[in-house]
Amino acid sequence: MTERQRLARIPWRQLTSRPVYENRWIRVREDQVELPDGRTTLYGVVQCAGCVGVLPFLDPDTIILVGQYRYVAGDFYWEMPTGAMKPGESEEAAVQRELAEEAGYEAGRLVKLCACHTSKSVVDETANIYLADGLRTVARGADPTEFIEVRAFPFDEVVRMVERDEIKDSMTIIAVLHAARRR
């Protein structure tokens, strides 16, 4: 084993931290850290609330996707309902809220698929990904910053959309692949 390989599992040590920017969705901080070999460096971190995503099944072969223009990516995309958790909100409550806000449904049953890091390098955010079924329509209390199209898709077509690189949202890709593996 090389020296660099030996150091790979040693945690970095935070020496200082200073806030740089904050809004209602993110906080940015700059840390000075000591690396495993004793050198120091600056490291920028974007902190987000935990988030949820839900792949809602209308029936065993049909899912609901939401489509919207994504400002950062600069295009319209299909994806599953996703969003940030509110302080003190449980994962399941956040899933039901996002499903209602974005798609106009509530789930009779939720199944957690996984928790994953949306970006392991500079973004501190954990995504909790669920499947939903037993859907019932509910009144949509839409987020005022979201303009969303809701559409039912055959599940097999959504798998092909992932394979053709048409779905870009990582949470949706993970959920679809998990769901396909379970079939």
Side-chain angles (χ1 to χ4, degrees):
M1 178 179 292
T2 68
E3 178 65 8
R4 290 192 76 74
Q5 289 171 329
R6 187 184 68 74
L7 296 175
R9 294 179 183 254
I10 296 176
W12 298 11
R13 188 167 64 98
Q14 184 184 73
L15 303 173
T16 63
S17 184
R18 76 176 182 89
V20 175
Y21 173 80
E22 182 175 337
N23 66 30
R24 72 180 198 167
W25 297 283
I26 65 168
R27 290 190 318 258
V28 179
R29 70 174 203 261
E30 183 178 79
D31 295 348
Q32 183 178 26
V33 296
E34 181 180 11
L35 302 173
D37 64 3
R39 292 178 298 134
T40 61
T41 190
L42 288 178
Y43 208 90
V45 178
V46 179
Q47 294 177 287
C48 304
C51 62
V52 296
V54 57
L55 191 64
F57 279 80
L58 271 177
D59 61 50
D61 298 315
T62 310
I63 63 172
I64 297 294
L65 293 180
V66 296
Q68 60 186 310
Y69 178 84
R70 289 300 193 169
Y71 174 74
V72 173
D75 209 346
F76 176 92
Y77 295 101
W78 289 107
E79 59 198 45
M80 67 184 182
T82 63
M85 294 174 59
K86 294 181 177 180
E89 187 175 42
S90 71
E91 289 176 21
E92 293 82 2
V95 167
Q96 293 284 18
R97 178 180 47 75
E98 288 295 336
L99 183 57
E101 283 178 4
E102 294 190 2
Y105 290 95
E106 69 179 2
R109 183 175 74 114
L110 296 173
V111 176
K112 186 168 184 177
L113 294 174
C114 67
C116 63
H117 299 293
T118 58
S119 169
K120 68 208 173 303
S121 58
V122 297
V123 178
D124 178 7
E125 179 182 53
T126 299
N128 300 285
I129 301 176
Y130 286 78
L131 292 181
D133 59 21
L135 301 183
R136 297 176 296 277
T137 58
V138 294
R140 287 179 66 187
D143 182 312
T145 65
E146 294 179 323
F147 304 90
I148 294 175
E149 182 180 339
V150 180
R151 186 183 299 171
F153 287 85
F155 180 73
D156 291 342
E157 175 59 20
V158 175
V159 172
R160 287 190 293 278
M161 290 167 73
V162 168
E163 292 170 343
R164 291 189 306 255
D165 197 31
E166 295 170 13
I167 293 180
K168 302 290 188 185
D169 175 61
S170 62
M171 291 171 62
T172 303
I173 293 167
I174 291 167
V176 169
L177 295 178
H178 266 280
R181 177 89 172 144
R182 289 171 172 242
R183 291 172 77 83

